[in-house]
């Protein structure tokens, strides 16, 4: 088996998640999944925006231009288009190969510009059942569809050993944590904390996210300075994914007032593995990913695949955070048991090696 992973968005080698360079969820998924496939003897090649051929982790990355020759090479047994793709490119490859063409869907919904639903695809892989359900209106009858979930950075798989106390690793007073990007919830943190401070002040809020919410340096600097001046809050900024792990292990709560149509949410997966009590919205895939371990605050249009501006009910969210803190502080045995079940669930469902069999079976289904 030889799989070509085609990514028109970024240029990278398979060790990108191990470097100090920024990396998104789709890129991480491609790198980690391909590395696991290589371990079981499957050849993988990346075609992306890298400028010159390079190899890492047993995987060669080639410039997109190399597809002009590769699309007719019988050595490739499948072409997987990752995250986004161009119709012309997909149809060019279809003209030169009988190998299955597979869309690895990471966006919330298909669209004609960056994620077109194409009749030349043989199959579509989704990262959640929610995403699959939302996109059935776009599906062609001949597509072979599968849901194969995402996974966590390996640094999160060894945070807690069997029998190790989870609460013992948490600092006191409890640390509330936000991890993500500004549009995915950080803008809601200051007004949410205003409501929470009316209920209690026995906490610290740490915000780990990018520091350029608007893209304009002057206004961003003013906004960040204002956020850092607020009581009970520490704006740490964005750190490398591997550095999140110890930060999340010592924190007590993930507070994520997320209004985005998430399709998987790696931050939520990693928070589960890090033993955080989770308070988030009921938006899109978040209830599916959390699998009953989080408190979900209802917001309008939770299934809407394109809405990014749903209002967050700050009063209800603040009360949920306060209630969670009371349980965490006053019922340690109950909390420990819940968090141990959560960590065990995350490790049993969201580690990349667990998905190898599903990938192989799916690829073999094309004959």
């Amino acid at each position: 088996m030889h799989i070509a992973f085609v990514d028109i968005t970024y240029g990278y080698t398979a060790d990108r998640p191990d470097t100090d360079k920024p990396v998104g969820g789709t890129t991480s998924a491609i790198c980690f999944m391909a590395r696991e496939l290589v371990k079981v003897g499957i050849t993988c090649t990346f075609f992306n925006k890298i400028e010159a051929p390079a190899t890492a982790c047993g995987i060669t990355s080639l410039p997109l231009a190399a597809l002009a020759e590769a699309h007719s090479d019988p050595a490739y047994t499948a072409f997987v288009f990752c995250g986004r793709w161009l119709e012309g490119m997909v149809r060019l490859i279809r003209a030169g190969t009988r190998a299955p063409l597979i869309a690895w869907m990471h966006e919330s919904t298909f669209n004609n510009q960056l994620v077109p639903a194409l009749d030349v695809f043989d199959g579509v892989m989704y990262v959640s059942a929610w995403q699959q359900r939302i996109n059935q209106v776009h599906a062609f009858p001949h597509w072979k569809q599968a849901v194969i979930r995402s996974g966590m950075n390996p640094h999160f798989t060894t945070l807690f050993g069997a029998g190790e106390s989870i609460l013992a690793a948490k600092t006191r007073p409890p640390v509330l944590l936000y991890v993500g990007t500004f549009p995915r919830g950080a803008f809601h943190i200051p007004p949410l904390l205003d409501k929470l401070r009316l209920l209690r002040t026995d906490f610290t809020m740490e915000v780990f996210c990018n520091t350029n919410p608007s893209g304009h340096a002057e206004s961003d600097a003013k906004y960040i300075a204002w956020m850092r001046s607020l009581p009970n809050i520490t704006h740490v900024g964005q750190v490398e994914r591997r550095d999140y792990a110890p930060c999340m292990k010592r924190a007590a709560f993930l507070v994520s007032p997320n209004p985005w149509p998430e399709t998987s949410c790696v931050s939520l997966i990693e928070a589960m593995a890090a033993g955080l009590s989770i308070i988030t919205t009921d938006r899109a895939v978040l209830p599916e990913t959390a699998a009953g371990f989080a408190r979900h605050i209802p917001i309008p249009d939770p299934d809407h695949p394109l809405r990014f501006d749903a209002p967050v009910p700050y009063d209800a969210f603040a009360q949920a955070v306060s209630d969670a803190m009371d349980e965490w502080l006053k019922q340690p045995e109950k909390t420990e048991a819940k968090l141990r079940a959560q960590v065990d669930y995350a490790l049993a469902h969201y580690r990349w090696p667990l998905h190898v069999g599903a990938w192989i079976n799916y690829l073999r289904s094309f004959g």
Side-chain angles (χ1 to χ4, degrees):
M1 225 180 252
H2 188 167
I3 306 172
F5 289 88
V6 183
D7 181 2
I8 67 169
T9 307
Y10 300 108
Y12 51 87
T13 49
D15 61 345
R16 180 61 173 264
D18 305 327
T19 70
D20 58 0
K21 298 176 181 178
V23 59
T26 301
T27 303
S28 291
I30 297 165
C31 293
F32 286 133
M33 192 66 251
R35 283 155 60 166
E36 294 302 326
L37 292 170
V38 166
K39 290 178 184 177
V40 298
I42 295 175
T43 303
C44 297
T45 300
F46 292 174
F47 294 87
N48 57 42
K49 295 180 73 174
I50 199 167
E51 294 182 358
T55 299
C57 305
I59 299 166
T60 297
S61 293
L62 298 175
L64 287 169
L67 282 167
E69 295 182 4
H71 80 286
S72 58
D73 187 339
Y76 291 97
T77 53
F79 288 84
V80 178
F81 297 85
C82 308
R84 296 178 176 180
W85 48 83
L86 299 175
E87 180 172 358
M89 178 183 291
V90 178
R91 293 193 181 278
L92 173 67
I93 294 173
R94 173 77 295 160
T97 183
R98 292 187 176 183
L101 307 187
I102 300 165
W104 190 5
M105 185 68 170
H106 288 264
E107 301 290 334
S108 59
T109 188
F110 290 100
N111 66 72
N112 290 333
Q113 289 186 321
L114 293 174
V115 199
L118 302 176
D119 59 344
V120 292
F121 283 136
D122 298 289
V124 176
M125 284 194 298
Y126 302 95
V127 294
S128 64
W130 176 86
Q131 184 192 42
Q132 182 184 35
R133 174 170 60 83
I134 289 296
N135 282 288
Q136 287 314 291
V137 66
H138 303 286
F140 286 88
H142 68 275
W143 283 357
K144 289 187 177 181
Q145 300 184 58
V147 174
I148 304 178
R149 303 183 192 282
S150 291
M152 68 184 83
N153 187 300
H155 289 285
F156 287 83
T157 64
T158 56
L159 290 179
F160 293 101
E164 180 182 353
S165 171
I166 295 170
L167 288 180
K170 308 300 181 181
T171 60
R172 288 163 175 76
V175 172
L176 280 55
L177 201 70
Y178 173 84
V179 176
T181 63
F182 264 88
R184 283 176 159 84
F187 279 119
H188 295 291
I189 293 297
L192 171 58
L193 292 186
D194 285 343
K195 297 295 185 180
L196 183 58
R197 289 189 204 97
L198 299 177
L199 303 174
R200 63 197 311 147
T201 58
D202 56 336
F203 66 89
T204 297
M205 180 87 207
E206 296 183 356
V207 180
F208 288 84
C209 65
N210 57 312
T211 55
N212 55 341
S214 73
H216 300 286
E218 185 175 349
S219 59
D220 286 345
K222 290 180 180 179
Y223 184 85
I224 296 303
W226 169 74
M227 178 178 277
R228 286 174 173 165
S229 73
L230 299 175
N232 304 88
I233 191 168
T234 300
H235 183 258
V236 180
Q238 192 168 24
V239 299
E240 301 310 317
R241 203 84 205 174
R242 60 192 173 193
D243 296 329
Y244 283 136
C247 297
M248 294 175 82
K249 182 176 181 177
R250 65 175 173 76
F253 299 90
L254 177 72
V255 178
S256 182
N258 191 342
W260 274 46
E262 299 284 1
T263 59
S264 178
C265 195
V266 173
S267 293
L268 176 54
I269 289 172
E270 293 174 346
M272 292 173 69
L276 277 76
S277 296
I278 297 162
I279 307 96
T280 187
T281 66
D282 65 346
R283 185 75 169 99
V285 80
L286 299 179
E288 179 184 335
T289 299
F293 291 104
R295 286 174 167 85
H296 294 282
I297 311 306
I299 63 174
D301 289 336
D303 271 353
H304 198 295
L306 293 174
R307 186 174 183 182
F308 301 94
D309 61 348
V312 175
Y314 299 127
D315 286 312
F317 211 111
Q319 186 62 59
V321 174
S322 183
D323 292 345
M325 290 179 66
D326 281 339
E327 181 179 293
W328 193 91
L329 291 165
K330 298 176 183 179
Q331 302 181 53
E333 292 183 1
K334 178 181 178 181
T335 301
E336 179 74 33
K338 287 174 63 175
L339 293 178
R340 169 48 64 183
Q342 174 185 290
V343 169
D344 290 346
Y345 180 91
L347 294 177
H349 291 82
Y350 295 130
R351 291 184 293 119
W352 286 109
L354 299 172
H355 304 321
V356 171
W359 265 77
I360 293 174
N361 290 337
Y362 179 66
L363 293 171
R364 285 177 176 167
S365 73
F366 293 94

